[in-house]
Amino acid sequence: MSELPVVVVGAGPAGLSAAAHLVERGERVLVLEAGDRAGAAVSQWNYVRLFSRWSELVDPAAERLLAAAEWARPDGDTYPTGAEWADLYLAPLAGVLGDRVRFGARVVGVARRGRDRVVDAGREDEPLTVHVRTGEAEERISARAVIDASGTFGSPNPLGGDGLPAVGEKAAAARIGYRVPDLGAERSRYAGRRVVVAGSGHSALTALVVLAELAEQAPGTKVVWLLRRGAVGNVFGGGESDQLPARGALGSRARKAAEAGYVETVTGFRTSAVERGEDGTLSLESFDGHRVEGVDEVVVLTGFRPDLSWLSEVRLDLDPVLQAPSKLAPLIDPNVHSCGTVYPHGENELRHPEPGVYLVGMKSYGRAPTFLSLTGYEQARSVVAAIAGDHEAASRVELVLPETGVCGGAGVFDAPQEQKNSGGCCGAPETVDVAIGLAPGAR
């Protein structure tokens, strides 16, 4: 098996980082990307500006490969858009990797050759087989290891507050989007309309900012922000205390938009159903019977989840709550770590019972939020070191990550105040909720 390639699934930031580390270590590598370009998922939100600087978005091993090809490194202190990240970094990196990257190759399954997940006998003597679909054709590729860096962008969480699509959500699909609005191309869709934004993460804050700006420019534009949690709390982040300044500034801008009166905030709303009225507008109903009516468009930004279906025949050790590797889950569980700080980790936390199979990048976080590219690069470095047999390098932690500046104890949505003030990742008092026109009942 030593002559077989390591197959990397996904030509996004984490996948290409893993490929760069494998090349640097002299390992055979094959990157399989379902899309038609490097960073295909990034290209779907190409109009959004990142809150990480260029210096935090380039993997060191990748930069060394690119430097040999006389790559022009962008100014490290500037903040790229998704399009710039894909065009100025990911595409050139894929170009340097050359025929090690195959586009239009969708991985539909991984297994041990001739063994389903139940069979023990002879398992470790067989290579992994990667089942790939290219157009109408299918093939199997033998691999000594598989690094799944396919991400989660293709699997957004639904509007439904119980993790399943709300009743009527699919029927109303023409009025529901699952990404930050592109007001360059979609201005007419949202201008002058009553728009619901559902979610509390950085994507939701970004949507609030751009839609509030639209409301200032286009009369009649109304923004309703639905939160599942019972109070706004520390949703806006750490502000000036955030060690990623642009991330702190995003929260501050969202807070100002809400306080300026452009956003109606509704808390404690877990959507149960979506109804379409005779006038074409939507009504959203919560599990406890509250309603938000007269809605023209819904922007659902409730996070993502991993697609594990094509990994069903390999043995994974996943946390039953987060669907992240069991050793990693306690470090990132939002029920405990309301501060949102990302903890550096490596191969030890990402190892599964199936030898040679790893999940890295956003997919490794399962349903947990607050992933940073730097985390994915450190994961890739450590995992590749382990695959190459350099266990000393694999066990090292070569990364210090920025703090969010938020510290509020346990992150349970509606826990009593005394419970939220005890324990958690910080053990500090809960931040004081701000009053920004909270309406009763909605998410």
Side-chain angles (χ1 to χ4, degrees):
M1 282 192 279
S2 61
E3 297 181 358
L4 296 176
V6 176
V7 169
V8 177
V9 184
L16 293 179
S17 168
H21 282 277
L22 286 161
V23 169
E24 196 167 59
R25 285 184 172 273
E27 301 286 340
R28 291 188 61 196
V29 56
L30 176 62
V31 181
L32 301 174
E33 166 58 48
D36 61 358
R37 69 188 77 177
V42 174
S43 298
Q44 295 184 52
W45 47 268
N46 56 12
Y47 47 89
V48 177
R49 191 167 298 280
L50 286 83
F51 52 66
S52 293
R53 293 180 288 255
W54 269 114
S55 59
E56 297 151 340
L57 294 169
V58 176
D59 177 84
E63 184 169 10
R64 290 189 287 270
L65 283 183
L66 288 163
E70 300 183 350
W71 175 61
R73 192 185 197 284
D75 181 352
D77 289 329
T78 60
Y79 297 87
T81 62
E84 291 166 340
W85 196 23
D87 294 343
L88 302 181
Y89 170 61
L90 299 176
L93 179 54
V96 169
L97 292 168
D99 59 7
R100 300 181 183 93
V101 182
R102 288 177 55 185
F103 298 109
R106 180 175 296 279
V107 175
V108 296
V110 177
R112 284 286 166 191
R113 185 174 63 184
R115 307 288 192 277
D116 64 25
R117 66 182 296 160
V118 176
V119 177
D120 285 336
R123 190 175 194 86
E124 294 189 7
D125 297 326
E126 296 295 334
L128 293 159
T129 57
V130 182
H131 294 233
V132 185
R133 183 177 298 133
T134 54
E136 298 299 320
E138 292 188 33
E139 63 177 302
R140 294 179 183 176
I141 298 171
S142 295
R144 60 176 293 214
V146 173
I147 300 175
D148 178 3
S150 59
T152 57
F153 190 78
S155 304
N157 288 329
L159 177 62
D162 59 0
L164 299 173
V167 174
E169 181 174 347
K170 293 183 179 179
R175 295 290 186 94
I176 302 176
Y178 298 86
R179 59 190 178 101
V180 176
D182 179 2
L183 295 188
E186 301 176 303
R187 182 184 176 88
S188 60
R189 177 174 179 175
Y190 299 101
R193 305 295 181 89
R194 182 170 163 84
V195 184
V196 161
V197 175
S200 60
H202 296 111
S203 294
L205 297 184
T206 301
L208 290 180
V209 169
V210 299
L211 289 170
E213 292 174 352
L214 179 63
E216 187 176 14
Q217 301 163 5
T221 305
K222 306 292 183 182
V223 184
V224 181
W225 183 22
L226 301 188
L227 289 161
R228 288 175 180 163
R229 59 179 66 194
V232 175
N234 55 21
V235 166
F236 294 115
E240 293 182 357
S241 299
D242 196 320
Q243 292 179 3
L244 284 179
R247 182 172 61 189
L250 170 63
S252 298
R253 291 173 66 196
R255 180 191 292 269
K256 289 179 180 178
E259 293 174 341
Y262 296 117
V263 178
E264 174 191 355
T265 304
V266 186
T267 60
F269 194 99
R270 294 176 172 84
T271 307
S272 170
V274 180
E275 300 174 4
R276 188 181 182 111
E278 293 183 0
D279 61 354
T281 64
L282 303 178
S283 296
L284 278 56
E285 183 172 343
S286 72
F287 282 91
D288 56 7
H290 288 91
R291 294 175 68 86
V292 174
E293 300 180 328
V295 176
D296 296 301
E297 297 287 341
V298 182
V299 179
V300 182
L301 299 168
T302 53
F304 301 89
R305 60 183 58 180
D307 177 8
L308 300 167
S309 60
W310 53 271
L311 294 169
S312 62
E313 294 307 315
V314 290
R315 297 173 176 181
L316 302 180
D317 180 14
L318 297 175
D319 179 75
V321 176
L322 296 184
Q323 296 178 295
S326 292
K327 288 185 179 180
L328 174 60
L331 302 178
I332 59 175
D333 187 345
N335 289 293
V336 178
H337 300 289
S338 67
C339 59
T341 296
V342 183
Y343 295 90
H345 52 273
E347 189 269 346
N348 179 63
E349 291 80 8
L350 300 172
R351 192 183 310 141
H352 289 283
E354 195 73 65
V357 174
Y358 296 95
L359 278 60
V360 303
M362 286 189 67
K363 191 166 183 177
S364 71
Y365 264 42
R367 299 196 188 194
T370 324
F371 186 83
L372 293 175
S373 294
L374 285 172
T375 301
Y377 298 158
E378 172 67 0
Q379 290 178 337
R381 181 204 64 77
S382 177
V383 163
V384 168
I387 291 172
D390 188 349
H391 299 291
E392 189 276 330
S395 65
R396 289 198 307 264
V397 175
E398 298 184 359
L399 180 63
V400 176
L401 288 162
E403 300 284 344
T404 63
V406 173
C407 193
V412 180
F413 288 150
D414 297 315
Q417 188 69 28
E418 60 271 17
Q419 179 179 342
K420 289 195 280 187
N421 286 345
S422 62
C425 57
C426 309
E430 177 83 348
T431 53
V432 178
D433 293 337
V434 293
I436 48 175
L438 301 183
R443 172 202 154 144

